[in-house]
Amino acid sequence: MRYIDYMQLNPFQKFGYNFVNFFKKLPGNIARFFKFIGHAIVRFFVGIGKGLAGYGKRFVKGDIFVKLSYLVFGVSNMVRGQIIKGLIFLFSEVAYILFMINFGWGYISKINVTGTGVVNGETVSYPHSLGYEAMRQTFTPDGFPETVYVDNSMLILLYSVLTIIITVVFLAVYIANTKSAFKVYEAKKNGEKIMGFREEIKSFFDEKFHITLMSLPCLLIGCFTVLPLIFMILIAFTTYDKSHLPPGTLFQWAGLKNFGELVNFVGGDVKARTFLSLAEWTVIWAIFATFSNYILGMVVALMINKKGIKLKALWRTLFVVVVAVPQFVSLLLMAQILAENGGALNQLIEMITGNHTPIKFLNGTPLAARITVIIVNIWVGIPYTILITSGILMNIPADLYESATIDGAGPVKSFTKITLPYMLFVTTPYLITSFIGNINNFNVIYLLSGGGPSNPDAYNAGHTDILVTWLFNLTMGEKQDYKLAAAIGILVFIVCATLSLITFNMTKSAKDEEAFS
């Protein structure tokens, strides 16, 4: 095999070598990624197995009060002097039972049933639906017809997910109850002092203070992140769309049908064609939007920090002011400037050239609109990169540049040999988050071009739409195709998460966190 001296390669050869090497290592890194996922799943189930083993051992070794605590929470604690703690366990059990009787079970029982409803005088069957009846036609005492809504599939699904989450929390409390019951039993048997309620409360502000601090954030994450996320995932496996809007109509479980429509490339489904074309443009958009801002922002930051440049504080302040302006204001302003009719830029061109035919920057050809969107994103995004890179650039030792100058290196070679490697080492996590952020960059596309120009061959999408704006159009537009939008959201999340983990673990900043060389 021919030996390649990497240090003797020029920047373009290095780029080619790294590019080829990246794809050579990619299959192995993907395999290691899925191997890691497999090991995590195995460890999860092993942990569950160990937990069940401990659960059984506590029951066998405990006395009658420990065993009774498996049915009636808190008995062992109350018998051994922890009255308040035992009552808290007992209250949680009673509260859960009342919750399930009066609320939870009523929704869980309707999550997968076959029901019927009467629509316009006709009986309609709803197999595997969320609820029994969509609507029924009745009459008021005066003889006027009225529609009575019976079940709401969306609420049934939402409250069922809530019930499942509360049940998981209850099971955690149940396990904590059994552990506490056995712990106080052993302490009593060994003659040890049993901690009182006040002492336990004090411990939550001392050695267990981290639990106290994390309780509220975990509760809020569960309510406003986990619950909506699980709900959205389940929506992707239903028929929830414009023709199945609750409470007027039930929606049913659809299995993998929605995902099948998105990947039905052989059958030529319009949804699959739209998904493929938008996925290609989304990746192209993310690459240009990320690396153009990164490289150009770094170059401008170098120019500002270069020795001999006057009024450095002024230039930095101007870029800070640009960042301080809300992005949506800048984008709406640019949309007006680039407008075909009455846009400031078209009027200026007309004054200079005398050409009365306006240039269609955003609603002309697809290529022109996409180039315009990328250029405007550069104008909006460069100030952020300048602020991020300026501090890092000032931390690069000046001795490196002086040594490079003595060795005869020019500005370009210094940039490729010193500045760029150092910046990539430090800012790789930022690059990854920026790339993922641009995949989901809703503001620039929606506020600037609105997804236009229109594409009649696509399924409710324009030529500059990316996946996230297409998702928005499907939910908020005329289609109201919530099920397909949820499926798109899941696929985008899987791709983004996988790419982020694989790419980051292939970088030097992840493999060598201690030093830069």
Side-chain angles (χ1 to χ4, degrees):
M1 183 176 68
R2 186 167 62 90
Y3 173 74
I4 297 177
D5 188 354
Y6 182 81
M7 298 305 297
Q8 298 301 319
L9 299 178
N10 62 48
F12 294 102
Q13 290 173 328
K14 284 183 178 180
F15 175 80
Y17 177 82
N18 292 330
F19 184 80
V20 173
N21 202 37
F22 174 85
F23 284 99
K24 282 184 178 179
K25 294 181 179 179
L26 189 59
N29 283 282
I30 294 175
R32 280 192 291 272
F33 170 74
F34 285 105
K35 185 178 179 181
F36 169 78
I37 296 296
H39 286 167
I41 294 173
V42 170
R43 287 196 299 269
F44 173 75
F45 284 105
V46 168
I48 291 178
K50 290 181 179 179
L52 292 175
Y55 173 83
K57 289 179 181 178
R58 291 192 296 272
F59 183 83
V60 173
K61 293 181 178 181
D63 63 356
I64 183 62
F65 296 111
V66 174
K67 292 179 174 63
L68 189 59
S69 295
Y70 276 59
L71 294 177
V72 182
F73 290 11
V75 171
S76 180
N77 296 88
M78 287 187 284
V79 168
R80 276 136 189 145
Q82 291 186 331
I83 306 296
I84 298 178
K85 188 174 183 179
L87 288 174
I88 291 174
F89 279 129
L90 181 61
F91 173 77
S92 64
E93 181 181 20
V94 173
Y96 177 75
I97 293 172
L98 293 175
F99 167 80
M100 289 298 294
I101 293 174
N102 296 305
F103 186 85
W105 181 250
Y107 288 99
I108 286 286
S109 62
K110 297 179 180 180
I111 201 167
N112 187 24
V113 298
T114 300
T116 58
V118 178
V119 181
N120 297 326
E122 297 182 4
T123 301
V124 181
S125 177
Y126 298 93
H128 306 294
S129 61
L130 284 86
Y132 292 100
E133 288 184 321
M135 63 172 64
R136 65 167 178 259
Q137 200 76 21
T138 60
F139 294 90
T140 64
D142 298 329
F144 294 100
E146 67 172 351
T147 300
V148 178
Y149 298 107
V150 181
D151 281 335
N152 187 324
S153 294
M154 186 176 68
L155 293 181
I156 291 172
L157 182 59
L158 178 63
Y159 292 147
S160 295
V161 172
L162 177 63
T163 302
I164 292 171
I165 292 175
I166 291 175
T167 300
V168 171
V169 174
F170 172 75
L171 289 176
V173 173
Y174 174 62
I175 297 299
N177 159 69
T178 61
K179 288 182 178 180
S180 180
F182 187 74
K183 183 178 180 181
V184 294
Y185 158 71
E186 283 199 321
K188 190 74 172 179
K189 185 176 69 172
N190 298 330
E192 300 174 359
K193 181 184 177 182
I194 297 176
M195 188 179 295
F197 184 72
R198 289 185 178 179
E199 292 174 321
E200 291 219 19
I201 292 297
K202 288 181 180 179
S203 70
F204 282 102
F205 292 91
D206 192 3
E207 65 268 17
K208 296 181 181 179
F209 190 58
H210 60 286
I211 298 177
T212 305
L213 289 178
M214 292 301 296
S215 297
L216 182 60
C218 288
L219 178 63
L220 295 177
I221 289 173
C223 293
F224 299 108
T225 302
V226 177
L227 178 60
L229 184 62
I230 296 175
F231 178 77
M232 185 205 74
I233 292 173
L234 292 177
I235 285 293
F237 299 92
T238 68
T239 61
Y240 186 21
D241 56 16
K242 187 177 182 179
S243 59
H244 297 87
L245 285 178
T249 308
L250 299 177
F251 55 77
Q252 297 87 41
W253 294 107
L256 297 174
K257 179 182 177 182
N258 299 316
F259 295 93
E261 291 180 345
L262 287 175
V263 297
N264 185 22
F265 306 124
V266 178
D269 189 279
V270 63
K271 297 176 183 177
R273 292 201 311 270
T274 305
F275 177 73
L276 182 61
S277 63
L278 292 188
E280 291 174 353
W281 161 236
T282 300
V283 172
I284 294 171
W285 151 258
I287 291 173
F288 276 96
T290 301
F291 291 100
S292 60
N293 284 348
Y294 183 74
I295 299 298
L296 294 176
M298 194 190 311
V299 170
V300 175
L302 282 169
M303 293 169 61
I304 294 175
N305 293 318
K306 188 176 178 61
K307 289 183 179 180
I309 298 296
K310 298 180 180 180
L311 304 174
K312 290 184 180 181
L314 173 63
W315 307 128
R316 293 190 186 117
T317 303
L318 289 176
F319 285 113
V320 170
V321 171
V322 172
V323 173
V325 177
Q327 191 184 71
F328 79 93
V329 174
S330 301
L331 292 171
L332 290 175
L333 178 62
M334 287 302 301
Q336 294 299 318
I337 291 174
L338 297 172
E340 178 185 357
N341 299 317
L345 185 55
N346 269 314
Q347 290 187 3
L348 180 62
I349 293 173
E350 183 180 344
M351 289 173 58
I352 295 174
T353 64
N355 183 11
H356 299 287
T357 303
I359 300 175
K360 298 180 179 180
F361 292 101
L362 296 172
N363 57 354
T365 63
L367 180 61
R370 290 177 174 182
I371 292 174
T372 302
V373 167
I374 291 173
I375 292 174
V376 172
N377 182 72
I378 292 173
W379 176 75
V380 172
I382 276 181
Y384 292 91
T385 309
I386 293 172
L387 293 180
I388 291 170
T389 57
S390 290
I392 301 173
L393 289 170
M394 287 188 287
N395 286 329
I396 300 177
D399 298 342
L400 294 176
Y401 292 106
E402 293 175 1
S403 300
T405 303
I406 293 172
D407 292 339
V412 176
K413 196 166 187 179
S414 296
F415 177 79
T416 56
K417 294 284 187 178
I418 301 173
T419 307
L420 189 57
Y422 188 92
M423 290 298 299
L424 288 174
F425 178 82
V426 177
T427 61
T428 294
Y430 161 75
L431 264 178
I432 294 172
T433 56
S434 179
F435 182 78
I436 301 303
N438 281 314
I439 288 178
N440 298 303
N441 195 334
F442 176 85
N443 287 349
V444 173
I445 301 297
Y446 185 79
L447 296 176
L448 190 61
S449 68
S454 61
N455 184 1
D457 297 327
Y459 182 73
N460 203 36
H463 284 287
T464 57
D465 269 319
I466 57 177
L467 290 174
V468 67
T469 57
W470 185 36
L471 187 154
F472 178 82
N473 293 337
L474 290 174
T475 54
M476 303 303 293
E478 183 181 353
K479 297 288 185 183
Q480 293 182 306
D481 200 340
Y482 302 103
K483 63 184 190 308
L484 192 66
I488 295 168
I490 293 173
L491 292 177
V492 171
F493 167 75
I494 292 173
V495 171
C496 290
T498 304
L499 285 177
S500 298
L501 291 172
I502 292 175
T503 307
F504 178 71
N505 284 287
M506 290 176 66
T507 59
K508 192 173 182 180
S509 56
K511 296 176 181 177
D512 183 12
E513 298 179 355
E514 299 298 326
F516 167 73
S517 59

